[in-house]
Amino acid sequence: MCLKDKALAVRENAYVPYSNFKVGASLVAENGETFVGCNVENVAYPEGTCAEAGAIAAMVAAGQTKLTEVYVVADAPVPVSPCGGCRQKLIEFGSGEVVITMATLDGTEKKMTLAELMPGAFTEEHLENT
């Protein structure tokens, strides 16, 4: 199953009783394994989990810490990009060259690198002399 199909499938498991806005994400780790995540809302609204964060957590739980590709899909009129927090999480585990594909259910896709999505990202280089 390709990244797109995995993201579409896991999107169906999203727990979104408040927004009804389902998001699915899939990513490939450096070793070739694929991990998925969906958004999970909470009545204490800011305590939910984004789909990208769920996929990253699954990757790290499996012992992987580098991602090489990401696919995100949502039911929206235009492709939805990861939120700011997820952008920072993605850059933590991927290089600027990693491609993020953002898609709608009708198949519209937009591709960007992490560097394009998160210019001026705060990285470990900022902490080298601390």
Side-chain angles (χ1 to χ4, degrees):
M1 191 181 293
C2 69
L3 279 183
K4 176 181 180 178
D5 292 340
K6 288 181 179 186
L8 284 166
V10 74
R11 180 187 164 277
E12 292 303 316
N13 296 334
Y15 177 76
V16 293
Y18 310 106
S19 72
N20 294 312
F21 189 75
K22 294 181 176 186
V23 180
S26 57
L27 62 83
V28 178
E30 190 173 48
N31 71 350
E33 284 185 81
T34 302
F35 299 93
V36 297
C38 59
N39 54 327
V40 178
E41 294 179 348
N42 188 289
V43 70
Y45 211 68
E47 296 305 315
T49 303
C50 297
E52 302 90 335
I56 290 168
M59 177 186 74
V60 173
Q64 299 300 308
T65 58
K66 295 291 180 195
L67 57 88
T68 62
E69 187 178 359
V70 180
Y71 195 98
V72 181
V73 64
D75 186 9
V78 296
V80 176
S81 66
C83 72
C86 284
R87 292 176 190 206
Q88 185 64 47
K89 289 174 181 76
L90 290 165
I91 203 77
E92 180 76 16
F93 297 101
S95 70
E97 294 80 37
V98 168
V99 173
I100 310 296
T101 302
M102 298 156 281
T104 64
L105 292 184
D106 71 7
T108 303
E109 293 184 348
K110 180 176 184 176
K111 294 179 185 283
M112 296 178 78
T113 65
L114 269 176
E116 293 169 328
L117 195 61
M118 188 73 169
F122 187 82
T123 66
E124 62 188 32
E125 292 177 30
H126 293 99
L127 303 177
E128 285 181 358
N129 293 323
T130 58

